[in-house]
Structures are given as structure tokens and as C-alpha cells.
Amino acid sequence: MSEALLDHATQTIKVGSKSFAAAARLFPADVRRSVLMLYAWCRHCDDVVDGQELGFAAVEPAPAQEDAAEKLAMLEDQTRRAYAGEKMGDPAFAAFQEVALRHTIAPRFAFDHLAGFAMDVEQARYETIDDTLRYCYHVAGVVGLMMATIMGANKATVLDRACDLGLAFQLTNIARDIVEDARMGRCYVPAAWLREAGIPPHELALPEHRAALAGVAARLVDYAEPYYASATQGIIALPLRCAWAIATARNVYRQIGINVKARGPRAWDERVGTSRATKVWLLAKGGAGALTSRLRRMAPRRQGLWQRPDATTKDHRAARAVDA
């Protein structure tokens, strides 16, 4: 069962995220196993709510809002039972249970992540960039917190940087996937930004708005930059192999944003990624960054960055999980 779980997790990340899969190979074997299994759970939960398979083509029509809410409630219940130590039949939840209990991942983090899917189910609207960043926290920032926990980082200052990296990743994803998301009826770009660009939200995917949309995407990419810079400081606190993996993942995702910005109105003609040669170069650059990080001390976090929820505050879903 143990090897089957690992095979399942490895295949999940290989198909679902080629960018992160490349960096994940750099982790020490024990950390890589846990990282892959956590990713498999995150991907599974996302797919269940969206009616997709590994984040791509829907295997069935997207669930109605009521059905999606029911599926989300099921995921919350399975997560509570995983933390309670019950036997998990679903491979993704068996994987999550192994990781969560082994590394003592705070239930609050897992339920904060599920709350991000609830924002999709409830069709949350994002008026300001702070609203968008709150969504980014739930779907990606908190994943950074769980990943950091797996790597043995639990100081608040380091967790802040792990969250910053997740925020940067998600801002990049939003910029890359604006048109694809719009075709699914979703928009994570601040409505205020769209008004400033003269783009009606219901026309977001139309070709005639590509030039204006390129400006909005560039703004998102630029907004991610201080979060990528902050995350670089957190690498200092990680073990060397982990620092190399995270530095590489940071470089690869940041390059995707750079590519989106460089393509301008043509950014959505095809899915933007990075070439194999570029990944190799960024891997080497990540290794150099990891090595030089051993010689530095962590600088203070920049003022004005979005701050994750207070670590002493429990989401109501997490509270129920702890009490279960």
C-alpha cells in the first residue's frame, strides 16, 4: 500500500504540475515522498470540487453549485476522519493522512486550504487585490505552510516566507490562466483593475480585449515580484537540498510570469510554460542560490506585504476537526 501511494502521488504531480515536478526531484527522498503525497491530496480535492481530472479536461460536466458544496462537505469530513486516524480507502486521503500525522501538520492549514475551494463553490467576487490575495492564501499560500512544515520549518518568520511564495505562485497562475478561467465562469483578477482597463468581466475571454488584458496580466506579474523576493529570504532557513528544490520551483514559476508578460496579447494563444533547457538553467541557478543562502541571514520582511491570518486564530472548520 505504501509504494502504491507513492506511485499514485508521483503520477499525479507528473501530469498535474510539470513545473513543480521538476523541482520536486531535488528533495531528499523522505521529504520528496511527503511533498508528493501532499500535492496528490491538494490536486484531488481541487479536482473533486471542479469535476476535473488532474486539473485539466473535465471528465464530466462541472458540478452544479449545490453538488459542488456537497462534494466539498464530503472532503471536509474525510479530512476530519484522516486526522482522527481512521482507515482511509481513497489513495489521496491515505497519502494525506500519512503526511499530516507524520509531520504534525496543523489541521487549521488543511481546512484553510479547503476554504479556498469553498470560495469557488460560493462564487466569491474579488473587488480588490487584497480580496485576490486572500484567495491566493487559501489555495496556495497555505500549501506553502504545509510544505514548510514537512521540511521542518515551523518558526513564524519562516512560515511567512513560505506563504509569500505560495501567494507569488498563485498570482502567476492567475495571470497565465485568465482566459481559461474566464471560460469556466471564474475571475480572480480584481474587479477594480478590470474597470480601470475598460474590460467588462463578462467579456474577459474575448479576443478584442487581449491588448488591455495583457496590461492587467503584467500588473499581476509585477505584483508577485515582492512576494518572490520575500520567499528567497525563507530559503535561508531550509536544509540545503530543500533550499535547492524550493529555489528552483521559485525560479521556474517566476519565469512563467516573465514569459506571460513578454508575450503580451499573445499570452493566451497557448498555455505558457518553460522549456526543458530553461528548466535546466533555472535548476542550476537554484542550486547556486541555495548554496549562497548558507552565507546570509534572513532580512526583515518587507512592510506592506499581505499578512497571512494570525497563527493563533482557528478557522471554524479547523476547530471542528480538532474537536472531532
Side-chain angles (χ1 to χ4, degrees), residues 11 51 193 208 304:
Q11 182 61 23
W193 289 17
E208 52 261 41

Side-chain angles (χ1 to χ4, degrees), residues 147-231:
M147 293 283 188
T149 302
I150 289 171
M151 293 173 231
N154 49 32
K155 290 184 178 179
T157 53
V158 182
L159 292 176
D160 283 342
R161 307 312 178 101
C163 182
D164 286 342
L165 185 58
L167 299 179
F169 281 178
Q170 193 60 28
L171 287 170
T172 299
N173 284 341
I174 291 171
R176 181 193 62 193
D177 298 336
I178 291 175
V179 172
E180 181 180 341
D181 288 336
R183 287 170 178 158
M184 294 174 60
R186 291 178 178 172
C187 177
Y188 305 106
V189 179
W193 289 17
L194 294 179
R195 285 196 298 272
E196 291 171 17
I199 306 174
H202 64 281
E203 296 182 2
L204 198 53
L206 297 184
E208 52 261 41
H209 295 301
R210 287 291 192 272
L213 192 60
V216 173
R219 192 173 177 182
L220 283 167
V221 170
D222 290 343
Y223 210 92
E225 278 298 295
Y227 293 96
Y228 277 120
S230 178

